[in-house]
Amino acid sequence: YFIAFLNRDAERMRSALAAAKQKPEAEDWITHAESMVEAYNGHMAEARTLSRRAVDLAKQSHQNERAALYVAAAAVRESFLGDAAEGLRLAKEALGLSRNRDVQFGAAFAQVKCGFTAEAEPLIADLEKRFPEDTYVRFTYVPVLRGLIAIGQRQPAAAVALLEPAAPYELGVPGSWGGFFG
């Protein structure tokens, strides 16, 4: 689906969607992917509808962590669109479903991007405490969140300095990032 998207091959995209939607274990994931493509294409109402559908499908199959990742991704999307209230609401919804590291990262990212740094700080501290040896957390998630906070405080030099630990990993993509920024 994503290869067809990158190649702008609408027919193959439709074919991949149809095939994946025939598999219950893939339907929520492909619906989430479809929502990201719709958002990319500027079809926000459809993207939001598909996001909600992906969450519902994941919940129906008792995949609350996947559902939480989809909600966190929607929170990040809304934060980039400037809808701070919706971004914050979705971040809280995601955290109500799961507190795994990737969901916390997405929720904290959305909160910071929406200007709710105080709400994100406990999540960042918790990530640091629970995952002191986790490469993604230490060298990607926390530096990105701290850098984003610095940018929000109009401290670009500090943001660059805070992002230094992430430099060796900048071409790597943690698993959850595809869901958030896909």
Side-chain angles (χ1 to χ4, degrees), residues 1-10 12-17 20 28-40 70 175 177-182:
Y1 180 74
F2 284 123
I3 292 170
F5 168 73
L6 292 171
N7 289 323
R8 298 181 181 172
D9 188 338
R12 285 191 187 212
M13 287 175 68
R14 281 190 292 277
S15 176
L17 278 173
D28 64 290
W29 180 87
I30 198 70
T31 301
H32 174 65
E34 186 180 17
S35 77
M36 291 189 298
V37 168
E38 289 300 324
Y40 174 86
Y70 302 154
W177 283 49
F180 298 136
F181 308 110

Side-chain angles (χ1 to χ4, degrees), residues 34-35 37-50:
E34 186 180 17
S35 77
V37 168
E38 289 300 324
Y40 174 86
N41 289 322
H43 306 138
M44 296 316 301
E46 184 66 15
R48 289 178 180 117
T49 298
L50 288 165

